[in-house]
């Protein structure tokens, strides 16, 4: 069990994320939960972020991206057709792309600007990629912390503002 992510890849991904005017997070199936966690963390930092797991909306979002956007694709297998379709549409429009997947030889890994690989030895006793999902959540946390440091005071202010906004929803 382990993950394969270099410091250089993290730095490049952080640069891409912090430079983007809009970040679009996509994932389907179990990967949608990792995607939702990443979206939540980046929204709290104050990023202009969108998340989607509906294949039709993902296709629409991919079609309406540009060079100032960043598309983050999360797919354990790296072969989910709906993810790949949105990715291809976004790439045709010059959108920067990040993939988080478990397979270095996947179609997703071959077609993203930056691929962050998680790998694990899943057993046949579990129907889902449980360990890989946990590793992907760790990658999300690494990116979140690195982006917070890169944003500095702006990132801390975003978190504080988000905390205040949510605190107002509690009794």
């Amino acid at each position: 069990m382990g993950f394969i992510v270099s410091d250089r890849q993290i730095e490049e991904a952080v640069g891409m994320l912090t430079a983007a005017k809009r970040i679009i997070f996509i994932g389907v199936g179990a990967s949608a939960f990792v995607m939702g966690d990443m979206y939540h963390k980046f929204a709290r930092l104050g990023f202009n972020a969108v998340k989607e797991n509906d294949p039709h909306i993902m296709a629409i979002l991919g079609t309406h991206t540009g060079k100032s956007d960043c598309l983050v694709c999360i797919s354990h297998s790296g072969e989910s057709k709906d993810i790949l379709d949105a990715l291809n549409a976004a790439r045709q429009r010059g959108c920067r792309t990040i993939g988080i997947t478990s397979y270095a030889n996947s179609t997703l890994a071959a077609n993203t600007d930056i691929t962050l690989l998680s790998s694990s030895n899943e057993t046949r006793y579990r129907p889902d990629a449980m360990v890989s999902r946990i590793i992907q959540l760790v990658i999300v946390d690494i990116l979140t912390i690195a982006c917070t440091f890169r944003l500095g005071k702006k990132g801390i202010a975003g978190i504080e503002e988000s905390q205040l906004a949510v605190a107002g929803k509690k009794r």
Side-chain angles (χ1 to χ4, degrees):
M1 174 176 75
F3 59 94
I4 308 163
V5 179
S6 72
D7 292 344
R8 180 191 56 77
Q9 288 173 308
I10 293 295
E11 284 299 315
E12 287 179 15
V14 167
M16 196 180 293
L17 291 163
T18 56
K21 291 195 176 173
R22 177 177 64 154
I23 304 171
I24 302 162
F25 299 98
I26 61 172
V28 296
S31 295
F33 294 98
V34 176
M35 175 269 300
D37 182 63
M38 190 170 188
Y39 163 78
H40 176 255
K41 289 172 177 164
F42 278 73
R44 285 185 60 207
L45 282 168
F47 283 96
N48 177 13
V50 176
K51 72 175 176 85
E52 193 54 60
N53 67 338
D54 178 273
H56 292 191
I57 303 299
M58 288 189 315
I60 291 167
L61 288 170
T63 299
H64 293 286
T65 59
K67 293 178 181 177
S68 63
D69 296 322
C70 180
L71 179 70
V72 179
C73 305
I74 302 174
S75 172
H76 168 64
S77 69
E79 299 299 338
S80 298
K81 182 180 181 337
D82 298 323
I83 299 292
L84 297 174
D85 288 347
L87 171 63
N88 289 333
R91 288 184 67 223
Q92 289 175 7
R93 286 152 184 82
C95 181
R96 302 298 311 269
T97 59
I98 297 171
I100 300 176
T101 184
S102 297
Y103 295 95
N105 295 324
S106 66
T107 306
L108 180 69
N111 288 288
T112 50
D113 295 312
I114 298 171
T115 302
L116 304 174
L117 292 173
S118 60
S119 65
S120 65
N121 295 321
E122 301 292 345
T123 69
R124 58 184 160 214
Y125 305 112
R126 291 191 302 259
D128 292 325
M130 296 170 76
V131 175
S132 297
R133 186 173 58 247
I134 292 167
I135 294 169
Q136 289 177 350
L137 287 168
V138 170
I139 291 170
V140 166
D141 286 346
I142 291 168
L143 290 171
T144 303
I145 292 165
C147 284
T148 303
F149 281 122
R150 176 78 57 94
L151 292 172
K153 291 180 183 179
K154 181 181 176 185
I156 300 300
I159 292 170
E160 290 171 351
E161 290 169 2
S162 296
Q163 288 172 332
L164 288 173
V166 172
K169 301 294 180 190
K170 297 178 182 172
R171 294 185 154 235

